[in-house]
Amino acid sequence: MKVNTSSNTTVQKGTLGKTNCCVCGKEVGLMGRYQMADFNEICKACAKQASGFFIPAEATLEMYKGDQAQMADSQKLYEAYFAKGGKHVKKFGLWYSSEKILIDEEHGLICVTKKKNGKRTYLVYRLADLEKYSEFKKKIKGADGKEATNTYCYLQFHRAIGVSEVYISIAGKYKKLQKYLKKSMGMSGIKGMKNAIAKAKEDIASAKAVASATKTAFANAEDEAAAKAAAEKVMIEADKAFYNGREALVEKADAAIAAVIKNV
């Protein structure tokens, strides 16, 4: 989907009247749009074109663009590695639910999917980019007025171009998912202990590199170019530290993605 970049679609922040959608440029009234986290206004029609995990109030225009790009690539990756199923694809979720987590350990990929506004969308990430995962419970009131508890799995991904935080309703399947993730990411058993020791050593080296780069950045604070270069090095070293121990997963996923997305 083409995102409008024309200068005549500038948003009038905080207006209660009509304004222009930051995506398509269409003029919309108060009831026909959502305000985004960066104060841009997006019309409901464009918001429906986003993935089922995209929340306008928590997103920016750049995140919307990233979500559109990720959806297009994810559809191709889903069809290539997940659609046909097989032993290499593990599914987590309730059989009657539209929300699922799919993991392809063979190719180092994880897919989240749900149906929203009559449209099913898929978002595929590298398994190595999984930064956090936890169980999340939320109390709600049903149509009968009785209180009930919904259980979700919260996933956060590092360096995502679009949606980086995902909530999936998988009820009592979280423990099974947690156990599988620990195993597939080398965090359980004797292998997990060896990986933890190796990662600790790598983390110490990364911490020293980050500290050195940070010190250089402060020392060159008056030299803008040197300070910028040092700051970029801090980011590179910090990013490298995140992937310590995940190199094999990164390699598998990158190879799988490159085989499908030719411009990566």
Side-chain angles (χ1 to χ4, degrees):
M1 181 177 182
K2 188 176 180 181
V3 177
N4 186 47
T5 57
S6 174
S7 59
N8 63 2
T9 61
T10 302
V11 177
Q12 299 174 29
K13 297 176 183 178
T15 181
L16 296 178
K18 289 186 176 182
T19 189
N20 299 99
C21 171
C22 63
V23 177
C24 68
K26 179 182 177 181
E27 189 176 62
V28 288
L30 181 64
M31 301 304 291
R33 67 181 192 259
Y34 301 110
Q35 187 177 78
M36 302 174 77
D38 58 358
F39 297 104
N40 271 302
E41 306 278 350
I42 184 172
C43 72
K44 291 185 175 181
C46 286
K48 284 184 178 180
Q49 297 304 311
S51 71
F53 302 97
F54 184 86
I55 303 173
E58 299 176 6
T60 64
L61 177 57
E62 286 305 310
M63 288 171 66
Y64 180 88
K65 294 177 182 178
D67 182 64
Q68 293 291 296
Q70 186 178 8
M71 272 202 302
D73 288 346
S74 293
Q75 184 66 40
K76 297 175 185 176
L77 292 170
Y78 171 78
E79 291 171 0
Y81 300 114
F82 296 96
K84 295 180 181 179
K87 292 183 178 179
H88 67 287
V89 176
K90 302 296 181 184
K91 298 181 180 180
F92 299 90
L94 301 172
W95 65 268
Y96 57 82
S97 174
S98 70
E99 301 181 26
K100 298 281 190 302
I101 297 174
L102 312 174
I103 299 177
D104 179 354
E105 188 179 349
E106 182 181 327
H107 297 102
L109 300 173
I110 179 170
C111 173
V112 293
T113 177
K114 73 185 297 185
K115 193 173 183 180
K116 187 177 180 181
N117 298 320
K119 178 183 71 172
R120 176 167 291 284
T121 55
Y122 305 92
L123 292 182
V124 176
Y125 302 84
R126 300 188 308 181
L127 190 54
D129 292 329
L130 183 58
E131 190 166 355
K132 295 178 183 178
Y133 57 93
S134 61
E135 191 174 39
F136 176 79
K137 295 185 179 183
K138 182 179 180 181
K139 290 185 178 181
I140 61 169
K141 281 191 176 180
D144 58 359
K146 293 183 179 179
E147 194 174 78
T149 301
N150 275 5
T151 304
Y152 300 88
C153 176
Y154 167 75
L155 304 172
Q156 182 178 336
F157 295 94
H158 187 64
R159 284 200 324 192
I161 63 170
V163 175
S164 61
E165 296 180 301
V166 171
Y167 289 90
I168 292 279
S169 179
I170 61 171
K173 303 294 182 179
Y174 176 75
K175 295 297 181 184
K176 185 179 178 182
L177 171 66
Q178 183 185 45
K179 184 177 179 180
Y180 184 78
L181 284 173
K182 284 185 176 181
K183 178 179 175 294
S184 62
M185 298 181 78
M187 295 186 292
S188 61
I190 296 176
K191 182 181 178 182
M193 291 174 64
K194 289 181 178 178
N195 288 342
I197 293 170
K199 187 179 186 305
K201 291 179 179 178
E202 291 172 344
D203 285 347
I204 290 171
S206 293
K208 288 180 179 178
V210 169
S212 176
T214 303
K215 184 177 180 180
T216 302
F218 279 110
N220 294 289
E222 295 182 4
D223 185 336
E224 187 176 345
K228 184 178 179 181
E232 288 176 352
K233 188 175 180 181
V234 171
M235 296 299 293
I236 292 171
E237 292 296 340
D239 197 57
K240 182 181 176 182
F242 175 79
Y243 291 103
N244 283 345
R246 303 185 183 202
E247 293 84 357
L249 280 173
V250 169
E251 188 176 348
K252 284 197 296 186
D254 285 349
I257 293 170
V260 177
I261 313 298
K262 303 300 181 182
N263 61 341
V264 173

